Amino acid sequence: MKSLSRHTLLFQRTLHKRAMSTTQLFINGEFIDSQATEHIEVRNPATQEIVTRVPQTTQHELDEAARSASHAFREWRKTSVLSRQRKMLDLQHAIRANMDELATSIVNEQGKVMGDARGDVMRGLQVVEDMANITHYMQGNKLEVSSDMDTYTVREPLGVVAGICPFNFPAMIPLWMFPVALATGNTCILKPSERDPGAAMILARLCADIGIPRGVLNIVHGAHDTVNFLTSDSRIRAVSFVGGDKAGKYIYERSAQNGKRCQANLGAKNHAIVLPDADKEHALNAIAGAAFGAAGQRCMALSVVVLVGEAQLWVKDIVARAQQLRVDGGLEPHADIGPMITPEALRRAELLVQSAHDEGAQIALDGRNIKVPKYPNGNFLGPTVIDNAQPHMQCYKTEIFGPVLTIVHADSLDQALELVNNNAYGNGASVFTRSGACARRFESEVEAGQIGINVPIPVPLPMFSFTGNKASFLGDTNFYGRSGVNFYTQLKTVTSLWRKQDAVDQQATVHMPTIN
């Protein structure tokens, strides 16, 4: 309680101080004021007060960021892997020491409750910690293929890479990107979301504090013009993106057309199948947290629950658990769910809830028009439960990205699996059951990239990789872990011959060489 009160005071002071400030750029190791004439307002989602203004970075400034990153790469790629490992260890220490500042920025700009904001930072921090294992990830292979002849692989950085981040994880997603890029010897241009850039700017300051060389990390801002630059400039070799379908497809296609590698995490519609033999209390608690946490603004949020057989009687219990969750400003000590990011996002979610009613589903719990007395202007949507949804309904087909749970009924595991597999997306899917046989069948037959068995949000820790598939991912190589290292590097294969007799042989050999 005392800790949260301190954060509340810090938030109030910084909010007043930054009310009309403009977020800076970070180029060539310096924080600079943009010369932009266009700006995007960032508003606190709970109060609508202006936190900062984000510049649409000018073309000259974008070019300077690319020039700086390109120049820095010449030396950064030569640094030893042990030196880069040391920087990752220093960065993780700096992030831990500044956890509260990062989390407060996230609450201020994105709207998460404090506990969830800390979790945002912590899940990104785990990627940084995993990059302390870069000495292992960068190892190649070697084989003696013939007498005195060796073939071996060397893993090398690509060059300048770019990251384009979403609003829903202001710390975690940047930390999925630039630490992996830097640890593998690349330099990076990062574009945080124009809705909540504060956490990324704090991370840039920490990188400068620990001695990351000038130009190795650069941060630019903006919307379409910045994205177009990052996906077209010839100095940029690869682009990482996390966000929505429309932007992701555009970025992936434009990057490919310009000869760049691209990895793009897109939308999702994650399902959980609940079998009647499931541990009821565990399943209900897991469903409530996964569906409504972070106001449902997670790419791995639980969007759909498929109740099988007698579990269809649990709708009232799901509603009761949802009603226990407290909606309030993110710095309030009792808050479970904060506001949505913008009024537009709120209206979109409310319209999708209304469409469910219009198409014949039942609104078992309606969180629209919820009143939060201390924050009357906040973008709040209370936990909402839609029952008896059908696959043709908009509420089922569309990623709502709000604290809305859609319930579908099924008579059997067969029917439930068919429903999940017919869904276009493939980020994640879960099953709740006490049956090992059913769990094993689910694991084998379900078509999704990340599977949870009695786990509602099966996001892998960074020693693995984020492996969404189907319409949830574009590209060949996933984020973080070994896949992330593979994305940011390329292999060079060397075959060398050092013959024992070369010191005495004087006559050339002219016949076709063969393998002995």
Side-chain angles (χ1 to χ4, degrees):
M1 183 74 72
K2 291 180 180 178
S3 176
L4 283 172
S5 297
R6 178 168 59 85
H7 291 308
T8 302
L9 292 173
L10 174 64
F11 166 74
Q12 291 172 343
R13 289 197 302 267
T14 56
L15 184 62
H16 176 73
K17 180 180 178 181
R18 298 176 55 198
M20 288 303 292
S21 67
T22 299
T23 299
Q24 293 181 303
L25 308 174
F26 183 67
I27 297 176
N28 198 33
E30 296 183 356
F31 290 95
I32 62 173
D33 294 325
S34 174
Q35 299 303 304
T37 58
E38 299 177 28
H39 294 82
I40 302 163
E41 290 181 347
V42 174
R43 292 180 177 269
N44 183 302
T47 65
Q48 305 309 318
E49 294 180 353
I50 297 175
V51 178
T52 186
R53 299 189 313 152
V54 178
Q56 170 53 64
T57 309
T58 68
Q59 286 298 309
H60 173 74
E61 291 161 347
L62 291 168
D63 184 73
E64 185 63 20
R67 187 205 63 78
S68 173
S70 182
H71 179 78
F73 175 66
R74 300 172 193 172
E75 295 301 321
W76 182 246
R77 68 176 303 174
K78 298 176 186 177
T79 58
S80 71
V81 68
L82 292 176
S83 296
R84 299 197 301 271
Q85 179 190 48
R86 178 71 258 170
K87 292 303 182 187
M88 294 300 107
L89 292 169
D90 292 343
L91 180 58
Q92 67 86 23
H93 178 75
I95 292 171
R96 285 188 180 277
N98 292 272
M99 178 77 71
D100 288 348
E101 182 185 4
L102 284 159
T104 301
S105 173
I106 292 170
V107 175
N108 182 5
E109 295 183 350
Q110 202 274 345
K112 291 185 180 184
V113 301
M114 179 57 77
D116 198 39
R118 287 198 185 100
D120 186 329
V121 180
M122 182 60 68
R123 290 308 298 264
L125 174 62
Q126 290 169 341
V127 176
V128 181
E129 292 173 334
D130 187 56
M131 284 301 101
N133 193 31
I134 193 63
T135 50
H136 172 73
Y137 283 133
M138 292 295 283
Q139 291 177 10
N141 298 308
K142 183 177 182 179
L143 179 67
E144 185 177 0
V145 296
S146 184
S147 298
D148 302 331
M149 181 179 287
D150 300 313
T151 297
Y152 55 94
T153 57
V154 179
R155 190 169 291 281
E156 296 186 331
L158 299 177
V160 182
V161 300
I164 302 172
C165 304
F167 74 84
N168 56 328
F169 285 97
M172 185 184 78
I173 300 300
L175 291 171
W176 279 15
M177 296 177 182
F178 80 80
V180 186
L182 271 55
T184 49
N186 300 278
T187 56
C188 183
I189 304 172
L190 188 76
K191 190 197 89 66
S193 171
E194 63 276 14
R195 297 177 185 175
D196 47 17
M201 300 308 295
I202 295 170
L203 292 171
R205 189 194 77 215
L206 299 182
C207 286
D209 290 346
I210 65 169
I212 296 292
R214 289 171 173 265
V216 171
L217 174 65
N218 300 271
I219 295 186
V220 296
H221 302 293
H224 298 92
D225 289 348
T226 304
V227 167
N228 286 340
F229 178 88
L230 296 176
T231 53
S232 64
D233 188 86
S234 60
R235 290 164 289 192
I236 296 171
R237 296 287 307 280
V239 178
S240 298
F241 169 81
V242 176
D245 287 357
K246 184 177 179 181
K249 291 174 182 177
Y250 175 81
I251 287 167
Y252 181 81
E253 292 171 0
R254 185 176 171 91
S255 296
Q257 289 168 1
N258 288 295
K260 306 180 191 306
R261 286 188 186 182
C262 187
Q263 53 180 183
N265 272 3
L266 309 182
K269 199 74 177 179
N270 306 306
H271 289 56
I273 296 174
V274 181
L275 298 180
D277 70 334
D279 181 324
K280 185 175 181 179
E281 291 303 306
H282 171 70
L284 291 174
N285 288 332
I287 289 167
F292 306 118
Q297 297 173 123
R298 297 171 174 154
C299 62
M300 287 296 288
L302 183 56
S303 303
V304 180
V305 165
V306 185
L307 300 178
V308 178
E310 294 179 4
Q312 296 176 46
L313 301 175
W314 296 5
V315 174
K316 290 188 295 183
D317 301 289
I318 292 173
V319 168
R321 292 300 166 95
Q323 288 174 322
Q324 294 174 7
L325 298 172
R326 293 160 296 188
V327 180
D328 212 331
L331 287 169
E332 300 302 324
H334 61 270
D336 297 310
I337 302 173
M340 298 184 67
I341 185 70
T342 62
E344 293 75 20
L346 173 62
R347 284 194 291 272
R348 177 181 178 276
E350 290 175 336
L351 287 172
L352 284 164
V353 172
Q354 184 61 42
S355 76
H357 175 270
D358 296 343
E359 292 183 283
Q362 286 80 54
I363 311 302
L365 177 63
D366 194 341
R368 292 175 292 178
N369 300 314
I370 188 171
K371 303 300 181 184
V372 180
K374 192 172 178 180
Y375 301 95
N377 298 318
N379 309 320
F380 293 103
L381 177 62
T384 298
V385 178
I386 300 170
D387 190 24
N388 281 311
Q390 301 298 321
H392 69 273
M393 295 180 179
Q394 285 300 313
C395 67
Y396 178 83
K397 295 189 296 183
T398 305
E399 184 179 31
I400 299 175
F401 226 57
V404 181
L405 178 65
T406 302
I407 297 177
V408 182
H409 296 249
D411 296 327
S412 64
L413 179 57
D414 286 341
Q415 187 180 359
L417 279 168
E418 181 180 6
L419 184 74
V420 175
N421 290 341
N422 286 337
N423 170 45
Y425 294 108
N427 247 3
S430 299
V431 66
F432 290 88
T433 180
R434 286 190 173 100
S435 168
C438 289
R440 189 172 182 86
R441 183 182 171 200
F442 174 84
E443 175 188 340
S444 175
E445 296 184 15
V446 74
E447 297 172 4
Q450 295 160 128
I451 306 305
I453 298 174
N454 298 317
V455 174
I457 306 179
V459 178
L461 289 169
M463 65 284 295
F464 297 93
S465 297
F466 192 96
T467 53
N469 61 26
K470 294 170 66 176
S472 294
F473 181 73
L474 291 174
D476 298 316
T477 311
N478 297 98
F479 284 83
Y480 64 77
R482 185 166 295 281
S483 290
V485 169
N486 289 343
F487 178 78
Y488 287 117
T489 59
Q490 56 193 354
L491 287 177
K492 179 181 287 183
T493 304
V494 180
T495 301
S496 66
L497 174 63
W498 299 101
R499 300 192 307 167
K500 298 182 183 70
Q501 65 269 37
D502 276 353
V504 295
D505 281 358
Q506 301 295 325
Q507 185 174 349
T509 300
V510 295
H511 62 264
M512 177 70 72
T514 59
I515 301 298
N516 299 318

